[in-house]
Amino acid sequence: MASVEFVHVSKRYGRVEAVSDLSLRIADGEFMTLVGPSGCGKSTTLNMLAGLDEVSAGEILIDDEAVTGMPASERDIAMVFQSYALYPHMSVRDNLGFALKVHGEAKAAIAAKVDRAAAMLGIADLLDRKPRQLSGGQRQRVALGRALVREPRLFLLDEPLSNLDAKLRVQMRAELRLLFDRLETTVVFVTHDQAEAMTLSDRVAIFDRGVVQQVGTPMELYDAPANTFVAGFLGSPPMTFLEATVADGAAGPMLAGEGFALAAPAPRDRLRRGQPVVVGIRPEDIEVSRDAAGHPAATAISLVEPMGSTTIVYAPLGGKLIAIETDKGTDLAPGDPIGIGVPPDRLHLFDPETGRSLSA
Ligand SMILES: Nc1ncnc2c1ncn2[C@@H]1O[C@H](COP(=O)(O)OP(=O)(O)O)[C@@H](O)[C@H]1O
Ligand SMILES: [Mg+2]
């Protein structure tokens, strides 16, 4: 186990700044996920921590010790890559034991560690196969096992589930979390998938174009996003953003836009009449009613998507198509007029210029 700290770390490739002024502390035993769209600097961050890439500025500490000039081999870190990077000519057993062999460990000790990792990952009956004789999910387990046998103080995983099909990805996601819960080890996990970040992590750091936007527990980020990027990145279907202006209403300030007027959330003293705002609404926070009259917004259903456990309906509002989560088995159909309401405390408000949350 180990703690990790990035202190004002930047990485430039020529004129591209891949990571900008990253400061982040990862606690001993924590499962930390770095998430963001492709090209936002996640792998670069992981590679700098692993020692595969040099920092351009700043410092990285592991267990409060600067590792900035330390070679990768001395950092006591194991890394799992999206590509698995297995040795094709070696059996699973030899793949698993290879790093230990190179390290000069005794044969019996290697065998014991390989057997234990194989049992943990459910691949004990595959030890004599070659990688090409394995399915994608099995290869993924071998790649994980190769990291496990080393008993490193730190696990780094770069999109380890991305090559699996959707169903297996969800299954491996749960297995991964259970595995690392048992190992009680520090994990830095990289993914572009918001669902993996939400479900796996103790805490999440969200990146956009090399800059960390927000760090917190999955539910902190989901419930109180610091800006529109974080708000739009987490959640599926995503939050809808509507342009509005603060207006006076009979019972206090309203958020008025094209076809809607919603009561503003507290605290209301930060809002002034005429102020432009972006209103963020999550699909599950919307109350739909069959009669459009007397509701804060009126529209009509344009699309119905049954998801099985819920049904998502879409309707035009404020120039956008707003996603609304409804109960499964809803009889709403395209063309049906609906009224929409949102409890004020479920609304998210952002500054249209900066995208920053106005709730903080
Ligand atoms: N070796 C490299 N040389 C030049 N640019 C690079 C190199 N590696 C990454 N980059 C650039 O740095 C940015 C971040 O890349 P990366 O960390 O791989 O993103 P992510 O893993 O989040 O998809 C991208 O713009 C990418 O093109
Ligand atoms: Mg990457």
PDB file of all heavy atoms in Angstrom, residues 11-14 16-19 34-47 53 158-159 190-192 207 209-210, ligand 1:
ATOM      1  N   LYS A  11       3.051  18.249 -17.979  1.00  0.00           N
ATOM      2  CA  LYS A  11       3.758  17.494 -19.003  1.00  0.00           C
ATOM      3  C   LYS A  11       3.516  18.124 -20.359  1.00  0.00           C
ATOM      4  O   LYS A  11       2.371  18.324 -20.762  1.00  0.00           O
ATOM      5  CB  LYS A  11       3.254  16.046 -19.027  1.00  0.00           C
ATOM      6  CG  LYS A  11       3.874  15.207 -20.119  1.00  0.00           C
ATOM      7  CD  LYS A  11       5.349  14.962 -19.865  1.00  0.00           C
ATOM      8  CE  LYS A  11       6.014  14.239 -21.024  1.00  0.00           C
ATOM      9  NZ  LYS A  11       7.443  13.975 -20.731  1.00  0.00           N
ATOM     10  N   ARG A  12       4.599  18.492 -21.011  1.00  0.00           N
ATOM     11  CA  ARG A  12       4.491  19.053 -22.360  1.00  0.00           C
ATOM     12  C   ARG A  12       5.122  18.106 -23.364  1.00  0.00           C
ATOM     13  O   ARG A  12       6.172  17.515 -23.101  1.00  0.00           O
ATOM     14  CB  ARG A  12       5.204  20.420 -22.427  1.00  0.00           C
ATOM     15  CG  ARG A  12       4.373  21.599 -21.985  1.00  0.00           C
ATOM     16  CD  ARG A  12       5.151  22.906 -22.099  1.00  0.00           C
ATOM     17  NE  ARG A  12       6.360  22.872 -21.290  1.00  0.00           N
ATOM     18  CZ  ARG A  12       6.395  23.112 -19.973  1.00  0.00           C
ATOM     19  NH1 ARG A  12       5.294  23.415 -19.331  1.00  0.00           N
ATOM     20  NH2 ARG A  12       7.534  23.045 -19.326  1.00  0.00           N
ATOM     21  N   TYR A  13       4.456  17.935 -24.505  1.00  0.00           N
ATOM     22  CA  TYR A  13       5.067  17.273 -25.658  1.00  0.00           C
ATOM     23  C   TYR A  13       5.202  18.362 -26.712  1.00  0.00           C
ATOM     24  O   TYR A  13       4.203  18.702 -27.353  1.00  0.00           O
ATOM     25  CB  TYR A  13       4.177  16.161 -26.195  1.00  0.00           C
ATOM     26  CG  TYR A  13       3.979  15.001 -25.260  1.00  0.00           C
ATOM     27  CD1 TYR A  13       2.757  14.788 -24.630  1.00  0.00           C
ATOM     28  CD2 TYR A  13       5.017  14.094 -25.025  1.00  0.00           C
ATOM     29  CE1 TYR A  13       2.572  13.700 -23.795  1.00  0.00           C
ATOM     30  CE2 TYR A  13       4.835  13.009 -24.184  1.00  0.00           C
ATOM     31  CZ  TYR A  13       3.611  12.818 -23.571  1.00  0.00           C
ATOM     32  OH  TYR A  13       3.421  11.744 -22.744  1.00  0.00           O
ATOM     33  N   GLY A  14       6.389  18.938 -26.868  1.00  0.00           N
ATOM     34  CA  GLY A  14       6.533  20.053 -27.799  1.00  0.00           C
ATOM     35  C   GLY A  14       5.615  21.183 -27.383  1.00  0.00           C
ATOM     36  O   GLY A  14       5.714  21.685 -26.269  1.00  0.00           O
ATOM     37  N   VAL A  16       2.269  20.891 -27.205  1.00  0.00           N
ATOM     38  CA  VAL A  16       1.053  20.364 -26.555  1.00  0.00           C
ATOM     39  C   VAL A  16       1.289  20.231 -25.056  1.00  0.00           C
ATOM     40  O   VAL A  16       2.270  19.622 -24.628  1.00  0.00           O
ATOM     41  CB  VAL A  16       0.684  18.963 -27.109  1.00  0.00           C
ATOM     42  CG1 VAL A  16      -0.571  18.425 -26.425  1.00  0.00           C
ATOM     43  CG2 VAL A  16       0.510  19.011 -28.612  1.00  0.00           C
ATOM     44  N   GLU A  17       0.413  20.841 -24.243  1.00  0.00           N
ATOM     45  CA  GLU A  17       0.478  20.589 -22.804  1.00  0.00           C
ATOM     46  C   GLU A  17      -0.528  19.486 -22.482  1.00  0.00           C
ATOM     47  O   GLU A  17      -1.730  19.717 -22.469  1.00  0.00           O
ATOM     48  CB  GLU A  17       0.203  21.854 -22.000  1.00  0.00           C
ATOM     49  CG  GLU A  17       0.518  21.614 -20.517  1.00  0.00           C
ATOM     50  CD  GLU A  17       0.797  22.906 -19.738  1.00  0.00           C
ATOM     51  OE1 GLU A  17      -0.127  23.709 -19.605  1.00  0.00           O
ATOM     52  OE2 GLU A  17       1.937  23.078 -19.283  1.00  0.00           O
ATOM     53  N   ALA A  18      -0.022  18.277 -22.283  1.00  0.00           N
ATOM     54  CA  ALA A  18      -0.897  17.113 -22.081  1.00  0.00           C
ATOM     55  C   ALA A  18      -1.496  17.117 -20.684  1.00  0.00           C
ATOM     56  O   ALA A  18      -2.634  16.699 -20.488  1.00  0.00           O
ATOM     57  CB  ALA A  18      -0.125  15.831 -22.325  1.00  0.00           C
ATOM     58  N   VAL A  19      -0.715  17.580 -19.698  1.00  0.00           N
ATOM     59  CA  VAL A  19      -1.187  17.683 -18.312  1.00  0.00           C
ATOM     60  C   VAL A  19      -0.727  19.033 -17.772  1.00  0.00           C
ATOM     61  O   VAL A  19       0.432  19.389 -17.911  1.00  0.00           O
ATOM     62  CB  VAL A  19      -0.621  16.545 -17.429  1.00  0.00           C
ATOM     63  CG1 VAL A  19      -1.046  16.728 -15.976  1.00  0.00           C
ATOM     64  CG2 VAL A  19      -1.078  15.180 -17.944  1.00  0.00           C
ATOM     65  N   LEU A  34      -9.074   8.244 -12.613  1.00  0.00           N
ATOM     66  CA  LEU A  34      -8.878   9.416 -13.461  1.00  0.00           C
ATOM     67  C   LEU A  34      -9.767   9.209 -14.680  1.00  0.00           C
ATOM     68  O   LEU A  34      -9.602   8.235 -15.415  1.00  0.00           O
ATOM     69  CB  LEU A  34      -7.420   9.539 -13.903  1.00  0.00           C
ATOM     70  CG  LEU A  34      -6.342   9.328 -12.829  1.00  0.00           C
ATOM     71  CD1 LEU A  34      -4.950   9.495 -13.442  1.00  0.00           C
ATOM     72  CD2 LEU A  34      -6.536  10.291 -11.664  1.00  0.00           C
ATOM     73  N   VAL A  35     -10.732  10.096 -14.879  1.00  0.00           N
ATOM     74  CA  VAL A  35     -11.686   9.913 -15.964  1.00  0.00           C
ATOM     75  C   VAL A  35     -11.767  11.175 -16.805  1.00  0.00           C
ATOM     76  O   VAL A  35     -11.526  12.280 -16.315  1.00  0.00           O
ATOM     77  CB  VAL A  35     -13.084   9.515 -15.409  1.00  0.00           C
ATOM     78  CG1 VAL A  35     -13.761  10.674 -14.707  1.00  0.00           C
ATOM     79  CG2 VAL A  35     -13.982   8.951 -16.501  1.00  0.00           C
ATOM     80  N   GLY A  36     -12.088  10.990 -18.071  1.00  0.00           N
ATOM     81  CA  GLY A  36     -12.242  12.129 -18.969  1.00  0.00           C
ATOM     82  C   GLY A  36     -12.229  11.617 -20.392  1.00  0.00           C
ATOM     83  O   GLY A  36     -11.928  10.444 -20.629  1.00  0.00           O
ATOM     84  N   PRO A  37     -12.564  12.491 -21.358  1.00  0.00           N
ATOM     85  CA  PRO A  37     -12.618  12.046 -22.745  1.00  0.00           C
ATOM     86  C   PRO A  37     -11.224  11.715 -23.287  1.00  0.00           C
ATOM     87  O   PRO A  37     -10.214  12.078 -22.670  1.00  0.00           O
ATOM     88  CB  PRO A  37     -13.224  13.250 -23.477  1.00  0.00           C
ATOM     89  CG  PRO A  37     -12.995  14.415 -22.588  1.00  0.00           C
ATOM     90  CD  PRO A  37     -12.928  13.904 -21.194  1.00  0.00           C
ATOM     91  N   SER A  38     -11.188  11.056 -24.402  1.00  0.00           N
ATOM     92  CA  SER A  38      -9.934  10.672 -25.042  1.00  0.00           C
ATOM     93  C   SER A  38      -9.039  11.905 -25.249  1.00  0.00           C
ATOM     94  O   SER A  38      -9.518  12.955 -25.659  1.00  0.00           O
ATOM     95  CB  SER A  38     -10.257  10.023 -26.387  1.00  0.00           C
ATOM     96  OG  SER A  38      -9.073   9.685 -27.033  1.00  0.00           O
ATOM     97  N   GLY A  39      -7.760  11.771 -24.917  1.00  0.00           N
ATOM     98  CA  GLY A  39      -6.799  12.848 -25.143  1.00  0.00           C
ATOM     99  C   GLY A  39      -6.718  13.872 -24.034  1.00  0.00           C
ATOM    100  O   GLY A  39      -6.034  14.888 -24.162  1.00  0.00           O
ATOM    101  N   CYS A  40      -7.375  13.636 -22.898  1.00  0.00           N
ATOM    102  CA  CYS A  40      -7.411  14.644 -21.836  1.00  0.00           C
ATOM    103  C   CYS A  40      -6.218  14.528 -20.877  1.00  0.00           C
ATOM    104  O   CYS A  40      -6.098  15.338 -19.948  1.00  0.00           O
ATOM    105  CB  CYS A  40      -8.726  14.570 -21.057  1.00  0.00           C
ATOM    106  SG  CYS A  40      -8.871  13.098 -20.045  1.00  0.00           S
ATOM    107  N   GLY A  41      -5.341  13.544 -21.073  1.00  0.00           N
ATOM    108  CA  GLY A  41      -4.127  13.469 -20.272  1.00  0.00           C
ATOM    109  C   GLY A  41      -4.103  12.377 -19.218  1.00  0.00           C
ATOM    110  O   GLY A  41      -3.204  12.342 -18.366  1.00  0.00           O
ATOM    111  N   LYS A  42      -5.046  11.453 -19.256  1.00  0.00           N
ATOM    112  CA  LYS A  42      -5.113  10.388 -18.247  1.00  0.00           C
ATOM    113  C   LYS A  42      -3.907   9.454 -18.316  1.00  0.00           C
ATOM    114  O   LYS A  42      -3.249   9.202 -17.302  1.00  0.00           O
ATOM    115  CB  LYS A  42      -6.403   9.551 -18.439  1.00  0.00           C
ATOM    116  CG  LYS A  42      -7.678  10.357 -18.497  1.00  0.00           C
ATOM    117  CD  LYS A  42      -8.889   9.465 -18.728  1.00  0.00           C
ATOM    118  CE  LYS A  42      -8.915   8.723 -20.052  1.00  0.00           C
ATOM    119  NZ  LYS A  42      -9.150   9.569 -21.243  1.00  0.00           N
ATOM    120  N   SER A  43      -3.627   8.934 -19.522  1.00  0.00           N
ATOM    121  CA  SER A  43      -2.513   7.992 -19.658  1.00  0.00           C
ATOM    122  C   SER A  43      -1.195   8.668 -19.362  1.00  0.00           C
ATOM    123  O   SER A  43      -0.304   8.083 -18.740  1.00  0.00           O
ATOM    124  CB  SER A  43      -2.483   7.395 -21.070  1.00  0.00           C
ATOM    125  OG  SER A  43      -3.624   6.613 -21.287  1.00  0.00           O
ATOM    126  N   THR A  44      -1.073   9.908 -19.799  1.00  0.00           N
ATOM    127  CA  THR A  44       0.158  10.651 -19.531  1.00  0.00           C
ATOM    128  C   THR A  44       0.388  10.754 -18.024  1.00  0.00           C
ATOM    129  O   THR A  44       1.504  10.552 -17.534  1.00  0.00           O
ATOM    130  CB  THR A  44       0.056  12.067 -20.148  1.00  0.00           C
ATOM    131  OG1 THR A  44      -0.183  11.933 -21.542  1.00  0.00           O
ATOM    132  CG2 THR A  44       1.321  12.864 -19.909  1.00  0.00           C
ATOM    133  N   THR A  45      -0.676  11.032 -17.282  1.00  0.00           N
ATOM    134  CA  THR A  45      -0.569  11.133 -15.823  1.00  0.00           C
ATOM    135  C   THR A  45      -0.123   9.808 -15.220  1.00  0.00           C
ATOM    136  O   THR A  45       0.780   9.753 -14.366  1.00  0.00           O
ATOM    137  CB  THR A  45      -1.943  11.547 -15.231  1.00  0.00           C
ATOM    138  OG1 THR A  45      -2.321  12.796 -15.806  1.00  0.00           O
ATOM    139  CG2 THR A  45      -1.879  11.673 -13.725  1.00  0.00           C
ATOM    140  N   LEU A  46      -0.743   8.723 -15.684  1.00  0.00           N
ATOM    141  CA  LEU A  46      -0.406   7.393 -15.166  1.00  0.00           C
ATOM    142  C   LEU A  46       1.038   7.018 -15.522  1.00  0.00           C
ATOM    143  O   LEU A  46       1.778   6.485 -14.685  1.00  0.00           O
ATOM    144  CB  LEU A  46      -1.383   6.375 -15.767  1.00  0.00           C
ATOM    145  CG  LEU A  46      -1.793   5.206 -14.892  1.00  0.00           C
ATOM    146  CD1 LEU A  46      -2.397   5.693 -13.595  1.00  0.00           C
ATOM    147  CD2 LEU A  46      -2.771   4.316 -15.633  1.00  0.00           C
ATOM    148  N   ASN A  47       1.425   7.334 -16.759  1.00  0.00           N
ATOM    149  CA  ASN A  47       2.785   7.001 -17.194  1.00  0.00           C
ATOM    150  C   ASN A  47       3.838   7.760 -16.405  1.00  0.00           C
ATOM    151  O   ASN A  47       4.914   7.224 -16.112  1.00  0.00           O
ATOM    152  CB  ASN A  47       2.944   7.286 -18.691  1.00  0.00           C
ATOM    153  CG  ASN A  47       2.144   6.309 -19.541  1.00  0.00           C
ATOM    154  OD1 ASN A  47       1.755   5.240 -19.073  1.00  0.00           O
ATOM    155  ND2 ASN A  47       1.879   6.683 -20.775  1.00  0.00           N
ATOM    156  N   ASP A  53       7.333   7.899 -18.245  1.00  0.00           N
ATOM    157  CA  ASP A  53       7.368   9.191 -18.910  1.00  0.00           C
ATOM    158  C   ASP A  53       7.872  10.199 -17.876  1.00  0.00           C
ATOM    159  O   ASP A  53       7.531  10.081 -16.704  1.00  0.00           O
ATOM    160  CB  ASP A  53       5.926   9.550 -19.332  1.00  0.00           C
ATOM    161  CG  ASP A  53       5.884  10.218 -20.684  1.00  0.00           C
ATOM    162  OD1 ASP A  53       6.923  10.743 -21.108  1.00  0.00           O
ATOM    163  OD2 ASP A  53       4.802  10.218 -21.286  1.00  0.00           O
ATOM    164  N   ASP A 158      -4.753   1.128 -16.862  1.00  0.00           N
ATOM    165  CA  ASP A 158      -5.095   2.074 -17.913  1.00  0.00           C
ATOM    166  C   ASP A 158      -6.137   1.453 -18.844  1.00  0.00           C
ATOM    167  O   ASP A 158      -5.804   0.622 -19.672  1.00  0.00           O
ATOM    168  CB  ASP A 158      -3.840   2.468 -18.698  1.00  0.00           C
ATOM    169  CG  ASP A 158      -4.086   3.680 -19.591  1.00  0.00           C
ATOM    170  OD1 ASP A 158      -5.263   4.060 -19.788  1.00  0.00           O
ATOM    171  OD2 ASP A 158      -3.093   4.249 -20.091  1.00  0.00           O
ATOM    172  N   GLU A 159      -7.387   1.845 -18.697  1.00  0.00           N
ATOM    173  CA  GLU A 159      -8.498   1.355 -19.514  1.00  0.00           C
ATOM    174  C   GLU A 159      -8.481  -0.172 -19.619  1.00  0.00           C
ATOM    175  O   GLU A 159      -8.589  -0.721 -20.725  1.00  0.00           O
ATOM    176  CB  GLU A 159      -8.425   1.963 -20.932  1.00  0.00           C
ATOM    177  CG  GLU A 159      -8.232   3.466 -20.939  1.00  0.00           C
ATOM    178  CD  GLU A 159      -9.437   4.237 -21.440  1.00  0.00           C
ATOM    179  OE1 GLU A 159     -10.496   3.627 -21.636  1.00  0.00           O
ATOM    180  OE2 GLU A 159      -9.314   5.459 -21.594  1.00  0.00           O
ATOM    181  N   VAL A 190      -7.604   4.282 -14.755  1.00  0.00           N
ATOM    182  CA  VAL A 190      -7.894   5.247 -15.810  1.00  0.00           C
ATOM    183  C   VAL A 190      -8.996   4.720 -16.712  1.00  0.00           C
ATOM    184  O   VAL A 190      -8.955   3.558 -17.124  1.00  0.00           O
ATOM    185  CB  VAL A 190      -6.619   5.535 -16.649  1.00  0.00           C
ATOM    186  CG1 VAL A 190      -6.984   6.093 -18.017  1.00  0.00           C
ATOM    187  CG2 VAL A 190      -5.711   6.503 -15.917  1.00  0.00           C
ATOM    188  N   THR A 191      -9.973   5.549 -16.997  1.00  0.00           N
ATOM    189  CA  THR A 191     -11.036   5.164 -17.928  1.00  0.00           C
ATOM    190  C   THR A 191     -11.653   6.409 -18.567  1.00  0.00           C
ATOM    191  O   THR A 191     -11.570   7.500 -18.014  1.00  0.00           O
ATOM    192  CB  THR A 191     -12.141   4.350 -17.211  1.00  0.00           C
ATOM    193  OG1 THR A 191     -13.139   3.990 -18.163  1.00  0.00           O
ATOM    194  CG2 THR A 191     -12.792   5.141 -16.091  1.00  0.00           C
ATOM    195  N   HIS A 192     -12.252   6.198 -19.759  1.00  0.00           N
ATOM    196  CA  HIS A 192     -13.019   7.292 -20.364  1.00  0.00           C
ATOM    197  C   HIS A 192     -14.504   7.095 -20.062  1.00  0.00           C
ATOM    198  O   HIS A 192     -15.330   7.902 -20.457  1.00  0.00           O
ATOM    199  CB  HIS A 192     -12.798   7.315 -21.879  1.00  0.00           C
ATOM    200  CG  HIS A 192     -13.328   6.078 -22.550  1.00  0.00           C
ATOM    201  ND1 HIS A 192     -12.578   4.924 -22.673  1.00  0.00           N
ATOM    202  CD2 HIS A 192     -14.533   5.794 -23.078  1.00  0.00           C
ATOM    203  CE1 HIS A 192     -13.319   3.989 -23.252  1.00  0.00           C
ATOM    204  NE2 HIS A 192     -14.510   4.494 -23.511  1.00  0.00           N
ATOM    205  N   PHE A 207     -10.840  14.899 -15.661  1.00  0.00           N
ATOM    206  CA  PHE A 207      -9.927  15.697 -16.481  1.00  0.00           C
ATOM    207  C   PHE A 207     -10.645  16.233 -17.707  1.00  0.00           C
ATOM    208  O   PHE A 207     -11.466  15.552 -18.303  1.00  0.00           O
ATOM    209  CB  PHE A 207      -8.765  14.835 -17.004  1.00  0.00           C
ATOM    210  CG  PHE A 207      -7.690  14.508 -16.010  1.00  0.00           C
ATOM    211  CD1 PHE A 207      -7.963  13.749 -14.889  1.00  0.00           C
ATOM    212  CD2 PHE A 207      -6.388  14.942 -16.224  1.00  0.00           C
ATOM    213  CE1 PHE A 207      -6.969  13.434 -13.980  1.00  0.00           C
ATOM    214  CE2 PHE A 207      -5.376  14.628 -15.322  1.00  0.00           C
ATOM    215  CZ  PHE A 207      -5.660  13.874 -14.202  1.00  0.00           C
ATOM    216  N   ARG A 209      -8.996  18.323 -21.115  1.00  0.00           N
ATOM    217  CA  ARG A 209      -7.863  18.963 -21.789  1.00  0.00           C
ATOM    218  C   ARG A 209      -6.675  19.214 -20.854  1.00  0.00           C
ATOM    219  O   ARG A 209      -6.161  20.328 -20.767  1.00  0.00           O
ATOM    220  CB  ARG A 209      -8.307  20.267 -22.454  1.00  0.00           C
ATOM    221  CG  ARG A 209      -9.122  19.992 -23.737  1.00  0.00           C
ATOM    222  CD  ARG A 209      -9.781  21.225 -24.243  1.00  0.00           C
ATOM    223  NE  ARG A 209     -10.860  21.644 -23.354  1.00  0.00           N
ATOM    224  CZ  ARG A 209     -11.550  22.756 -23.489  1.00  0.00           C
ATOM    225  NH1 ARG A 209     -11.278  23.589 -24.469  1.00  0.00           N
ATOM    226  NH2 ARG A 209     -12.513  23.050 -22.634  1.00  0.00           N
ATOM    227  N   GLY A 210      -6.301  18.177 -20.115  1.00  0.00           N
ATOM    228  CA  GLY A 210      -5.104  18.235 -19.289  1.00  0.00           C
ATOM    229  C   GLY A 210      -5.284  18.886 -17.934  1.00  0.00           C
ATOM    230  O   GLY A 210      -4.341  18.961 -17.156  1.00  0.00           O
TER     231      GLY A 210
HETATM  232  N1  LIG B   1       4.376  10.762 -26.897  1.00  0.00           N
HETATM  233  C1  LIG B   1       3.586  11.793 -27.203  1.00  0.00           C
HETATM  234  N2  LIG B   1       4.009  12.765 -28.048  1.00  0.00           N
HETATM  235  C2  LIG B   1       3.229  13.826 -28.349  1.00  0.00           C
HETATM  236  N3  LIG B   1       1.998  14.027 -27.852  1.00  0.00           N
HETATM  237  C3  LIG B   1       1.514  13.106 -27.009  1.00  0.00           C
HETATM  238  C4  LIG B   1       2.281  11.932 -26.634  1.00  0.00           C
HETATM  239  N4  LIG B   1       1.530  11.207 -25.775  1.00  0.00           N
HETATM  240  C5  LIG B   1       0.370  11.871 -25.622  1.00  0.00           C
HETATM  241  N5  LIG B   1       0.357  13.009 -26.353  1.00  0.00           N
HETATM  242  C6  LIG B   1      -0.741  14.005 -26.385  1.00  0.00           C
HETATM  243  O1  LIG B   1      -1.048  14.376 -25.075  1.00  0.00           O
HETATM  244  C7  LIG B   1      -2.447  14.489 -24.892  1.00  0.00           C
HETATM  245  C8  LIG B   1      -2.915  13.555 -23.789  1.00  0.00           C
HETATM  246  O2  LIG B   1      -2.747  12.212 -24.197  1.00  0.00           O
HETATM  247  P1  LIG B   1      -3.116  10.981 -23.261  1.00  0.00           P
HETATM  248  O3  LIG B   1      -2.541  11.182 -21.925  1.00  0.00           O
HETATM  249  O4  LIG B   1      -2.704   9.747 -23.996  1.00  0.00           O
HETATM  250  O5  LIG B   1      -4.703  11.085 -23.210  1.00  0.00           O
HETATM  251  P2  LIG B   1      -5.789  10.050 -22.651  1.00  0.00           P
HETATM  252  O6  LIG B   1      -5.078   8.888 -22.049  1.00  0.00           O
HETATM  253  O7  LIG B   1      -6.585  10.831 -21.669  1.00  0.00           O
HETATM  254  O8  LIG B   1      -6.617   9.651 -23.833  1.00  0.00           O
HETATM  255  C9  LIG B   1      -3.064  14.223 -26.249  1.00  0.00           C
HETATM  256  O9  LIG B   1      -3.275  15.444 -26.873  1.00  0.00           O
HETATM  257  C10 LIG B   1      -2.015  13.407 -26.948  1.00  0.00           C
HETATM  258  O10 LIG B   1      -2.110  13.567 -28.336  1.00  0.00           O
END
